[in-house]
Amino acid sequence: MARSYNFSPGPAALPEAVLRQVQQDMLEWGETGASVVEISHRGPEFLEVARQAEADLRTLLAIPDDYAVLFPAGGATTQQALIALNFASPGQRVDYVVTGHWGRTALKQLATVDVNIAASSEDDGFRTIPARASWRLSKDAAYVHVTSNETIHGVEFRPAWGPVPDTGDVPLFADFSSNIASEPIDISRYGLIYAGAQKNLGPVGIAVVIVRRDLLERAGHPRADIFNYASQLRAESMLNTPPTWNWYVLGLTVRWMIEQGGTAEFDRRSAEKSALLYEAIDGSGGFYRNDVDPAVRSRMNVPFFLPDPALDAPFLDGAREAGLIGLKGHRVLGGMRASIYNAMPVEGVRALVGYMREFQARHG
Ligand SMILES: *Cc1c(COP(=O)(O)O)cnc(C)c1O
């Protein structure tokens, strides 16, 4: 059985080289006489894995020294709750810019704080990002939260929209779950960046939080120690047993990205892959459709629609036969979605575009 090109939004495709390494290490890892999933997180072998993963992530993303890196268990949604608990005192104002499903999900995690929706594109079906000049920011907010890439709606902050939003003295917090490491990021523009690993960084079950150290020092203290980012940092993300397997595979994936040429190379590949796909959609004479404002079209997640939903099932069946999987759109939007993260080679996108042309010739 051959591996298909996997366009799944997350858990998403991992680099084949990483999976082969993982397969080798599953039974016996190095000199330990055991699997990498069977050894103590406090032992020297795993501590080296954790140290190397952080060092490599710092290299890959050019993380400045005045930023701490946490590797918490769980996903991005958990961090959406924890950022409010850690950085806003009860009742304090926080500002949210909502540009899609995940921004809306973030709002549901904020029971203890006073939320101001500074801007939202919900009224236009999340096809745009409101201009920075229209954001109604609060002077006294603990932070401003944005979703850098909306994985379901296919909307991403891009240079064509504008520079990284300036929020003055209020730190900018950003959900980078689905576009981290797809291009160089100027981390210093952000107070905090978080990402669940399962889109672009590795397997599900672990997240990455990159946070300016002075914000952490000033942070409030959630009553539960396990939710406290500052305590987690002191314990090197090991207040309790961390997801060692996920951390290990994340480390391999980050190393693979460095070896491939780093974020500059993935920037180039993302531009190439997304252009191929959008050109195929826009050049289909209206057979395929993507409704997102071209200035903010995502380079990672490309939702598209067929002229008739009755064609969805035959499209997906034919795709599977052609070795293209994971293309079904999210139930919130319907239609199709191709997720083309760093592990997706350009050949996979070429195969998809070829299949789309052939399907149109048969059904157009
Ligand atoms: C997938 C995703 C989430 C949710 O991640 P979980 O790990 O399932 O909690 C949040 N934000 C964005 C942008 C995502 O892509």
Side-chain angles (χ1 to χ4, degrees):
M1 214 184 70
R3 278 174 60 76
S4 297
Y5 286 122
N6 181 2
F7 296 89
S8 172
L14 287 165
E16 191 166 323
V18 167
L19 292 175
R20 290 196 185 283
Q21 179 76 47
V22 163
Q23 188 179 36
Q24 258 181 36
D25 298 344
M26 195 51 157
L27 208 58
E28 287 170 41
W29 183 53
E31 304 297 308
T32 59
S35 167
V36 63
V37 289
E38 298 174 307
I39 58 167
S40 169
H41 57 292
R42 310 267 182 217
E45 294 93 350
F46 185 76
L47 289 178
E48 178 55 21
V49 167
R51 194 202 60 74
Q52 191 67 49
E54 176 170 339
D56 285 345
L57 191 71
R58 284 183 176 280
T59 301
L60 179 70
L61 300 178
I63 301 173
D65 288 344
D66 57 333
Y67 284 72
V69 181
L70 299 171
F71 293 89
T77 315
T78 309
Q79 311 319 313
Q80 293 178 337
L82 295 185
I83 55 178
L85 292 173
N86 277 274
F87 297 101
S89 24
Q92 194 180 356
R93 175 59 72 92
V94 292
D95 283 355
Y96 276 67
V97 175
V98 182
T99 53
H101 174 87
W102 291 113
R104 221 165 33 191
T105 303
L107 296 178
K108 295 182 192 165
Q109 321 308 329
L110 306 178
T112 60
V113 292
D114 171 26
V115 185
N116 168 45
I117 298 179
S120 169
S121 52
E122 184 151 17
D123 285 350
D124 80 1
F126 295 129
R127 293 167 186 181
T128 57
I129 295 181
R132 169 65 188 86
S134 71
W135 297 9
R136 292 177 311 275
L137 298 178
S138 321
K139 284 204 177 56
D140 54 347
Y143 58 82
V144 179
H145 181 278
V146 298
T147 310
S148 180
N149 180 61
E150 281 286 354
T151 319
I152 292 172
H153 288 88
V155 169
E156 184 176 14
F157 282 86
R158 300 293 325 145
W161 174 85
V164 176
D166 184 0
T167 52
D169 290 339
V170 179
L172 180 63
F173 285 15
D175 180 352
F176 264 89
S177 291
S178 49
N179 62 345
I180 193 163
S182 66
E183 63 185 326
I185 317 171
D186 183 356
I187 305 257
S188 71
R189 303 299 307 274
Y190 299 87
L192 179 147
I193 282 172
Y194 65 93
Q198 71 269 27
K199 283 43 182 280
N200 228 1
L201 286 182
V204 65
I206 191 163
V208 162
V209 177
I210 302 164
V211 54
R212 232 172 64 206
R213 291 183 196 273
D214 66 310
L215 294 176
L216 212 47
E217 279 152 21
R218 280 189 274 136
H221 297 284
R223 289 199 188 99
D225 194 45
I226 194 74
F227 294 154
N228 189 321
Y229 279 156
S231 300
Q232 282 290 6
L233 180 62
R234 280 193 292 276
E236 299 181 324
S237 302
M238 294 190 198
L239 274 179
N240 66 332
T241 317
T244 52
W245 169 252
N246 317 56
W247 203 336
Y248 164 72
V249 182
L250 181 149
L252 292 179
T253 310
V254 168
R255 172 56 66 88
W256 175 83
M257 290 188 208
I258 293 173
E259 288 166 359
Q260 292 290 305
T263 54
E265 172 61 13
F266 287 106
D267 187 17
R268 194 192 63 72
R269 291 187 198 175
S270 299
E272 183 182 357
K273 289 185 288 179
S274 59
L276 272 172
L277 204 39
Y278 285 117
E279 280 162 19
I281 293 166
D282 295 341
S284 69
F287 186 81
Y288 299 107
R289 212 180 78 241
N290 168 286
D291 297 330
V292 176
D293 172 1
V296 294
R297 277 176 163 180
S298 170
R299 302 196 309 177
M300 295 283 106
N301 310 95
V302 181
F304 63 94
F305 300 90
L306 299 166
D308 178 353
L311 289 174
D312 288 359
F315 182 90
L316 290 168
D317 289 346
R320 200 173 305 111
E321 278 166 30
L324 309 166
I325 61 171
L327 287 162
K328 191 174 174 10
H330 192 274
R331 61 197 142 76
V332 165
L333 268 190
M336 303 297 140
R337 172 175 43 162
S339 297
I340 47 176
Y341 302 119
N342 287 0
M344 171 61 66
V346 66
E347 291 76 22
V349 178
R350 285 194 206 287
L352 172 59
V353 164
Y355 169 70
M356 287 167 70
R357 297 220 167 94
E358 181 197 301
F359 184 86
Q360 183 178 0
R362 273 187 283 126
H363 295 90

